[in-house]
Amino acid sequence: MGGSFSGRVAAGSAVSGSAVSGPTVRLRRLRKNGGVRRLFEETTVELRHLVQPYFVVPGRDVWRESAPGTGLWQVSADRLIDEVAPLVGAGAGGVMLFGVPATKRDDGGGLEEQLSPLRAATEALRRAYPELPLFADVCLCSYTTHGHCGLVHDGVIDNDASLAVLARMAVLLGQWGIDFVSPSDMMDGRVAAIRRALDDARLHDTGILSYAVKMASAFYGPFRDAALSAPQFGDRKTYQMPAGNRREARREWMLDVDEGADALLVKPALTNLDVLREARDGCDLPLFAYQVSGERAMLVAAAEKGQLDLRRAMDECLVSMRRAGADAIVTYEARERVRRP
Ligand code: PBG
């Protein structure tokens, strides 16, 4: 690698006649101490870039981690205000709410009742923190018994019938005060359908953060336990993307731009840094990375074995997402940063 290049550097130092031969260009000058390194740091991760997910469950006084160490917090609406207070105080980027309904239904009906914990959470947060950016997931997997992200008819995920339900969910969330509804279902045409429904409901200021590129991934495991959303038959491969398809990923986010998304999201983050970079270079919308539950679980497991330092490994992952082009990151690490800055 670089044979002629290193030769040129060596020749240069010889020509300059320096007493001690060696490289003229020394990048280590830029790293020589903490002050110099800080001055030339190109990419940073700040709390304002981080969005913390919560799983909003029915009931009162619920506050539990889905399993020890996951960082996936299930919380009832009444406890959310206090939990979020330190995040707001420290200037975190926002909060992403996932609803876990009391009962599941497969016909797309009864949405208002299913969403009632989410409504209480949204309205309370909106009142307490008028300027805290609020995101809410739009998807059917937690709301149906089969755990698929759309409606199922005769064992097949019915794309177009699902759009109406997703759009209705988005309108309700918008009415309650969500800033950006966040469709993660991966049905075709959902961004356009949601935009139309929001506008018809005069929710012109409710935005759409689209999960534009969402791979069918092994890294969602801990999330599905927390959201009670694991598919009960088959898998998600007819709607989530194959991990190896770069051109198809571009078509996904380009479509969402055309359909009126306000911001785009790519997930998992760490396995899709190239996709993030391509989206960053290819459009000017704000771009999110989602460091998903399995990405965190990997680091936590290795740290528990004493194989790596969790904080440093986490920092390295997050900064690589920002370097790849993410403006913001949805991550379970946000509240950890507030608790242990
Ligand atoms: C719901 C959804 C999933 C995640 C975010 N929204 C899971 C899935 O598609 O099965 C995963 C997030 C995580 O793993 O942290 N469709």
Side-chain angles (χ1 to χ4, degrees):
M1 168 195 125
S4 61
F5 179 71
S6 52
R8 202 157 51 82
V9 173
S13 43
V15 169
S16 74
S18 63
V20 184
S21 77
T24 11
V25 177
R26 291 178 183 269
L27 295 177
R28 289 185 57 202
R29 288 181 201 119
L30 302 176
R31 307 169 194 153
K32 95 188 204 184
N33 63 38
V36 173
R37 288 195 295 273
R38 193 159 52 88
L39 178 63
F40 296 129
E41 197 168 47
E42 297 178 39
T43 311
T44 57
V45 179
E46 295 160 33
L47 208 50
R48 72 182 174 95
H49 300 131
L50 306 184
V51 172
Q52 172 70 37
Y54 288 102
F55 299 87
V56 180
V57 297
R60 292 190 60 79
D61 210 25
V62 183
W63 173 246
R64 59 175 177 248
E65 203 170 15
S66 65
T70 56
L72 307 177
W73 291 94
Q74 297 175 322
V75 57
S76 52
D78 58 315
R79 289 282 293 268
L80 199 49
I81 302 281
D82 286 348
E83 164 56 28
V84 166
L87 284 166
V88 176
V95 164
M96 165 84 75
L97 302 177
F98 292 91
V100 183
T103 51
K104 295 177 187 278
R105 280 178 69 150
D106 292 344
D107 59 358
L111 261 189
E112 271 201 67
E113 194 192 323
Q114 286 188 305
L115 289 167
S116 64
L118 213 48
R119 175 181 191 161
T122 304
E123 290 180 342
L125 286 175
R126 187 71 304 156
R127 224 174 301 119
Y129 312 116
E131 295 205 353
L132 174 68
L134 292 181
F135 301 81
D137 191 62
V138 173
C139 191
L140 300 185
C141 59
S142 309
Y143 297 88
T144 51
T145 61
H146 49 68
H148 278 289
C149 301
L151 296 180
V152 174
H153 292 135
D154 301 328
V156 175
I157 288 89
D158 185 336
N159 191 89
D160 297 9
S162 305
L163 297 183
V165 184
L166 295 163
R168 202 157 69 238
M169 185 182 278
V171 166
L172 290 169
L173 294 166
Q175 283 170 345
W176 299 332
I178 292 294
D179 294 301
F180 294 94
V181 294
S182 310
S184 68
D185 54 284
M186 292 296 280
M187 297 299 123
D188 287 321
R190 77 268 167 77
V191 172
I194 289 171
R195 186 67 269 161
R196 207 174 312 120
L198 290 171
D199 288 344
D200 286 348
R202 309 200 58 77
L203 292 166
H204 305 295
D205 293 334
T206 305
I208 302 175
L209 164 63
S210 156
Y211 283 53
V213 182
K214 178 173 179 181
M215 302 298 183
S217 170
F219 289 100
Y220 305 148
F223 173 98
R224 291 177 185 175
D225 295 337
L228 308 179
S229 67
Q232 299 303 302
F233 69 88
D235 54 40
R236 303 210 197 289
K237 289 182 182 167
T238 69
Y239 42 105
Q240 299 182 351
M241 271 202 51
N245 288 7
R246 175 180 159 193
R247 295 194 309 268
E248 191 178 335
R250 192 164 59 206
R251 294 184 73 195
E252 279 286 1
W253 61 254
M254 282 182 140
L255 261 176
D256 287 0
V257 173
D258 284 348
E259 290 182 24
D262 297 280
L264 304 175
L265 182 147
V266 173
K267 79 187 248 192
L270 203 55
T271 51
N272 292 295
L273 295 178
D274 58 325
V275 174
L276 272 168
R277 168 49 56 194
E278 210 164 338
R280 176 66 297 139
D281 291 343
C283 78
D284 289 326
L285 271 65
L287 186 58
F288 285 61
Y290 194 144
Q291 185 191 41
V292 300
S293 57
E295 292 180 68
R296 179 179 187 84
M298 237 177 358
L299 300 182
V300 169
E304 277 172 359
K305 284 187 165 182
Q307 293 172 328
L308 53 74
D309 180 89
L310 180 59
R311 176 60 184 247
R312 288 183 49 216
M314 185 59 81
D315 282 347
E316 193 173 326
C317 290
L318 296 175
V319 84
S320 71
M321 293 162 202
R322 294 255 310 135
R323 191 195 66 227
D327 297 294
I329 304 170
V330 181
T331 172
Y332 307 98
E333 183 67 6
R335 71 179 291 281
E336 301 300 318
R337 284 303 143 100
V338 173
R339 274 158 25 100
R340 286 191 294 273

